[in-house]
Amino acid sequence: MPPFPLDAFLASLPWVIAGLVVLLALTFAVAVRQNRHSVIDTVWGLGFVVVAGISWALSAGYGDAGRRLLLLVLDAVWGIRLAVHIGLRARGGHEDPRYVAMLAAAPGSRNVYALRRVYLPQGVVMFFVSLTIQVGMFATGSVGWLAFAGVFLWILGFVFETVGDWQLTRFKADPARRGTVLNTGLWRYTRHPNYFGDAAVWAGLFLVAADSWPGVLTILSPALMIWTLAGKTGKPLTEKAMSARPGYKEYIESTSGFLPLPPRRTGGPKAGGHHAGGQQAGGH
């Protein structure tokens, strides 16, 4: 197996950073024009697509062609689907309450504050998490069994994320369900099928990259994404917002917090619906 082309990989990093800067600058300009910084949520998935596209182009002639194409397709399908979902959900809407609360505390210009507290951190996270994709694009050696396991895990995660979002959208569109808790479909087995799905997608992408050295060294990239979803801005903030909803306490007692598991039997009344969750920085 040829050695990893470290010089070519390092030479690609400034181009990746430049691509993210351009994307976030355009997003910021649109946000200022619309007075709605939550538009960055729609761009979250697209940022990874930009990184994958740049890395795919610059890794030509260095990384394994099969792995490069696999990572590009998997990343693009995930990122574009997420961007379309969030874009349709936010279409014609107002500023997200999370951003309203954050920017209300801005000491001076809210736009400058948003640049520092929203765009810069998200750009850094995009770059760090996408290192799995970047390194995997330059990895040499043919695709093996670990990559196929990663594809299986990606498919599982994509199904959970897509179906979970679809079930939640249908639930929220029913006026009769307003104020209740979604506990049917995938939401019967985990309180956060979309978060779990996102975590599985990135774990799968890591396995595709880790199939060849030094992809295994990017383990902290999916770890950051999973930690954000399960322990930082995803699950905890969603459950805090939902805690006062009738039936949610019983839902927590009967339903797994993250990993899909059979519902637990409880003595309390059965909850009647679904949780109105979003996703991590830029999520669902």
Side-chain angles (χ1 to χ4, degrees):
M1 182 173 64
F4 182 77
L6 182 59
D7 290 344
F9 168 71
L10 294 177
S12 74
L13 298 183
W15 293 101
V16 170
I17 294 171
L20 288 176
V21 169
V22 170
L23 177 66
L24 292 175
L26 292 174
T27 304
F28 179 74
V30 171
V32 171
R33 183 178 180 85
Q34 296 184 359
N35 194 32
R36 187 162 64 97
H37 286 289
S38 55
V39 297
I40 193 174
D41 289 352
T42 303
V43 178
W44 171 254
L46 295 180
F48 294 98
V49 179
V50 167
V51 171
I54 294 173
S55 297
W56 178 80
L58 296 179
S59 62
Y62 296 102
D64 176 72
R67 182 178 294 101
R68 290 172 57 242
L69 182 60
L70 187 58
L71 287 171
L72 177 66
V73 171
L74 295 181
D75 183 273
V77 170
W78 170 80
I80 293 173
R81 199 288 311 180
L82 182 59
V84 170
H85 168 71
I86 296 178
L88 291 176
R89 188 184 68 185
R91 183 174 48 185
H94 301 289
E95 181 72 284
D96 188 294
R98 295 172 301 158
Y99 292 91
V100 172
M102 179 190 303
L103 298 178
S109 170
R110 68 189 298 271
N111 290 330
V112 173
Y113 189 73
L115 267 177
R116 190 171 73 250
R117 291 294 303 274
V118 178
Y119 293 83
L120 179 59
Q122 288 212 24
V124 171
V125 171
M126 282 182 194
F127 177 80
F128 186 80
V129 170
S130 68
L131 281 172
T132 288
I133 302 295
Q134 298 177 56
V135 172
M137 289 288 187
F138 284 87
T140 59
S142 59
V143 173
W145 67 268
L146 191 60
F148 290 113
V151 172
F152 175 81
L153 186 56
W154 183 96
I155 292 172
L156 175 67
F158 189 75
V159 169
F160 262 83
E161 187 172 8
T162 303
V163 174
D165 281 340
W166 174 72
Q167 290 175 341
L168 178 57
T169 299
R170 288 188 60 202
F171 179 85
K172 293 172 71 175
D174 184 356
R177 300 291 186 92
R178 188 163 299 160
T180 60
V181 179
L182 174 57
N183 63 357
T184 58
L186 294 180
W187 302 80
R188 173 177 169 81
Y189 304 100
T190 167
R191 302 198 295 271
H192 305 279
N194 47 3
Y195 295 153
F196 165 76
D198 210 351
V201 161
W202 280 95
L205 289 171
F206 166 73
L207 292 182
V208 174
D211 188 51
S212 179
W213 181 263
V216 67
L217 297 179
T218 67
I219 180 64
L220 292 180
S221 296
L224 173 61
M225 177 69 89
I226 295 170
W227 173 76
T228 300
L229 293 168
K232 186 62 175 176
T233 61
K235 177 179 180 288
L237 292 185
T238 297
E239 297 196 346
K240 180 179 179 181
M242 293 293 297
S243 59
R245 180 162 295 192
Y248 197 68
K249 181 176 181 293
E250 292 79 10
Y251 180 58
I252 289 178
E253 292 173 351
S254 66
T255 310
S256 171
F258 198 76
L259 296 176
L261 296 171
R264 298 183 292 271
R265 292 185 179 274
T266 62
K270 186 177 180 180
H274 202 108
H275 108 144
Q279 191 148 349
Q280 96 297 350
H284 316 236

